[in-house]
Amino acid sequence: MTAAINIPASRTNFNVVSASVSMSPPTSTIHERLRRDSIGLPAIRAPRVLHPIENEDLRLLLLENISQEAVKAFRAQGFHVDHFTKAMSEDELLQKIGSYHAIGIRSKTKITERVIKAASKLLVVGCFCIGTNQVDLLTSAKAGIPVFNSPFSNSRSVAELVMSEIIALSRQYFQRAWELREGLWNKQSKGCWEVRGKTLGIIGYGHIGSQLSVLAEAFGMRVVFYDVLNIMPLGSARQLDTLTALLNDSDFVTLHVPELPETTNMISTEQLVQMKKGAYIINNSRGRVVDIPALISALESGHLAGAALDVYPAEPGSNGSPFDDQLNSWASTLRSIPNVILTPHIGGSTEEAQRMIGEEVSSALGRYLNYGSTVGSVNFPEVDLRAITAEQGTHVRVCHVHNNIPGVLRQVNEVLSPYNVEKQYSDSKGDIAYLMADIADVSPTDVNKLRELISQTKPNILTRLLA
């Protein structure tokens, strides 16, 4: 993807704050929060709460039935929130996105390059889920838009789902339950196994894989895993050197990897042949990680005894839509195979997970919009400063996104030279750099001048002043 995207070279945003102080405001940095929690007392100097006044209020678009807790959190901060239960297509987003400063999505809405070009006011994207492959991260960064996600909050929910699928597959009770609903009594033990003593192979030993490892050992399973990184195992789990070794050794194989070029179809005919005859495979990661037609062949031939899939290469955009051959050409064939569990992308769909995701991502977006913090962003330099306090009434925070080229700090510091720079922090990630600086004793008449001068520097992408 080239750097030449049709976005104005200089974008600015100016927020003025009220003098009011929240009685229990959020802390602005991880260090302050840990320090406060460790002594059980509130911060001595409360951070100033920021509210846009001079320009239009910040508007947030939340799609895909994002947690109401997140909606309440945003509205409590004074943001205007439009909340929709369904995803939006690219054409729908192109019509609406120009009015919003922030957007929250889950896995079905796609933030493409075209959408980003049309998002003239957009400051930040929140993915209320683990994955971020539905967002063009590179183009977002080049437009000065950080992207936040929730990499930890639904780990337990997915791990528990996998354990339930392991037991359901080994006992065939999903199939037996369906038969009984159809009026067929079919009590049998052939091909049904206890999971105790069986080997679980985990591909991707991250937050979900490691939690699953602990749960599986509690069931008496032997756990092996494969990961591209050397990782300290939990419990008695053992890391194997190659994917082939894991496939040869496992009775159950479960995938927990992101969708990347190197993971697309990482389980195909060659890998399925390497699995034990009568083994099972489970995919709750990303739909393109497993070659579904190859999996169908392995199931129909009897080489694999069963499978569980929660994700698919193409998924319906809303509840009630058909999951059929028009969506995926093999859908009806897959649905007809016995001992295959198909679920509609429910891995993290628990009340607990959605509540925690809502809290985590809304907090990250709020910190960026109110304080400029990018800690936790997946596509942006991670920069943070302690909050400006209520007593610091003439302080201004400069948040400057720019191209990562030599000489930028010199240009910005020349603009800031008439003032006392109390705090400054800059970092870069690839072609994008981000500078935060707190300036003391800035008069209201100087604010617009500062913004204009910094925005006019050639490397400028986005300049915000929080005052």
Side-chain angles (χ1 to χ4, degrees):
M1 186 176 295
T2 64
I5 57 176
N6 187 23
I7 296 174
S10 175
R11 298 172 60 203
T12 63
N13 180 268
F14 173 42
N15 291 332
V16 180
V17 301
S18 69
S20 62
V21 180
S22 171
M23 295 304 293
S24 57
T27 53
S28 66
T29 68
I30 293 174
H31 303 292
E32 287 182 343
R33 185 166 67 252
L34 290 176
R35 182 165 60 249
R36 181 193 66 186
D37 292 345
S38 67
I39 62 176
L41 294 173
I44 295 174
R45 293 184 177 179
R48 192 189 303 167
V49 181
L50 308 183
H51 299 287
I53 294 176
E54 285 197 347
N55 60 344
E56 60 185 311
D57 291 344
L58 293 179
R59 295 173 59 87
L60 279 68
L61 176 63
L62 300 183
L63 304 176
E64 303 184 61
N65 205 26
I66 286 170
S67 167
Q68 285 295 324
E69 296 301 319
V71 177
K72 293 176 183 177
F74 286 130
R75 286 177 175 161
Q77 297 177 69
F79 303 146
H80 175 90
V81 180
D82 289 331
H83 181 261
F84 296 88
T85 59
K86 296 183 179 180
M88 284 189 180
S89 67
E90 184 180 55
D91 288 339
E92 289 174 316
L93 279 177
L94 290 174
Q95 294 178 5
K96 293 182 177 292
I97 196 65
S99 301
Y100 292 96
H101 301 89
I103 184 171
I105 61 173
R106 294 177 70 183
S107 59
K108 291 183 174 62
T109 303
K110 310 299 181 185
I111 307 297
T112 63
E113 182 176 350
R114 290 182 65 210
V115 172
I116 295 168
K117 287 180 180 179
S120 57
K121 296 180 181 178
L122 193 64
L123 298 174
V124 64
V125 173
C127 296
F128 286 72
C129 52
I130 290 179
T132 57
N133 57 296
Q134 68 275 40
V135 181
D136 187 332
L137 298 177
L138 179 60
T139 303
S140 297
K142 290 177 179 178
I145 302 170
V147 177
F148 296 90
N149 69 334
S150 180
F152 315 116
S153 296
N154 68 356
S155 301
R156 179 71 180 199
S157 296
V158 177
E160 288 187 3
L161 177 63
V162 174
M163 284 308 306
S164 72
E165 290 169 335
I166 289 171
I167 296 171
L169 288 170
S170 64
R171 297 295 299 274
Q172 298 183 18
Y173 71 66
F174 182 83
Q175 188 175 345
R176 298 289 87 78
W178 179 260
E179 291 168 348
L180 195 56
R181 285 181 176 275
E182 295 293 307
L184 175 66
W185 183 272
N186 186 21
K187 178 180 178 180
Q188 65 175 34
S189 60
K190 182 180 180 180
C192 297
W193 315 93
E194 294 181 0
V195 300
R196 179 179 54 177
K198 305 301 187 295
T199 297
L200 173 63
I202 301 173
I203 303 174
Y205 200 72
H207 304 296
I208 297 172
S210 57
Q211 282 208 36
L212 173 61
S213 171
V214 175
L215 294 178
E217 287 197 348
F219 275 79
M221 300 188 77
R222 171 177 171 264
V223 178
V224 296
F225 68 92
Y226 171 75
D227 199 289
V228 294
L229 302 175
N230 289 323
I231 299 177
M232 179 72 72
L234 300 180
S236 300
R238 183 165 59 92
Q239 184 167 9
L240 301 182
D241 293 333
T242 64
L243 177 60
T244 298
L246 181 140
L247 297 173
N248 290 336
D249 196 28
S250 301
D251 300 299
F252 297 85
V253 173
T254 178
L255 294 111
H256 303 283
V257 297
E259 183 178 311
L260 301 169
E262 54 267 34
T263 62
T264 300
N265 286 342
M266 71 176 300
I267 300 298
S268 191
T269 301
E270 179 183 353
Q271 291 74 32
L272 293 168
V273 169
Q274 294 168 357
M275 292 179 63
K276 289 182 178 181
K277 181 175 175 57
Y280 305 84
I281 190 166
I282 298 168
N283 183 24
N284 290 334
S285 59
R286 288 292 178 263
R288 299 186 187 280
V289 169
V290 174
D291 181 350
I292 303 295
L295 173 61
I296 289 173
S297 296
L299 291 165
E300 289 181 329
S301 70
H303 181 69
L304 294 186
L309 302 176
D310 188 50
V311 289
Y312 311 92
E315 298 179 358
S318 61
N319 290 340
S321 299
F323 183 78
D324 56 19
D325 290 353
Q326 292 186 350
L327 187 68
N328 294 292
S329 60
W330 35 257
S332 59
T333 303
L334 183 65
R335 296 200 315 263
S336 69
I337 302 175
N339 208 26
V340 172
I341 301 172
L342 305 177
T343 50
H345 206 147
I346 60 172
S349 298
T350 62
E351 292 286 347
E352 297 90 344
Q354 291 307 307
R355 182 178 66 253
M356 288 189 290
I357 289 172
E359 292 173 354
E360 183 177 357
V361 182
S362 63
S363 177
L365 266 59
R367 286 196 305 271
Y368 179 70
L369 292 171
N370 287 333
Y371 302 107
S373 172
T374 55
V375 172
S377 174
V378 298
N379 69 330
F380 229 65
E382 295 188 75
V383 177
D384 194 13
L385 290 176
R386 67 180 182 272
I388 296 174
T389 64
E391 292 82 5
Q392 297 170 321
T394 60
H395 284 52
V396 170
R397 172 162 291 180
V398 177
C399 303
H400 177 52
V401 186
H402 55 275
N403 293 308
N404 184 24
I405 60 176
V408 177
L409 292 181
R410 177 182 57 80
Q411 294 179 54
V412 174
N413 285 327
E414 284 179 356
V415 175
L416 302 180
S417 60
Y419 307 93
N420 180 28
V421 180
E422 292 207 342
K423 303 185 291 289
Q424 187 180 77
Y425 182 26
S426 178
D427 199 2
S428 62
K429 186 171 185 177
D431 295 332
I432 304 302
Y434 183 46
L435 166 72
M436 290 178 66
D438 287 351
I439 317 302
D441 302 324
V442 181
S443 68
T445 57
D446 287 345
V447 171
N448 286 331
K449 179 182 177 182
L450 272 174
R451 180 188 59 180
E452 182 179 354
L453 289 174
I454 296 174
S455 299
Q456 287 177 352
T457 59
K458 189 174 181 181
N460 177 74
I461 296 175
L462 170 64
T463 297
R464 300 171 64 217
L465 265 64
L466 308 178

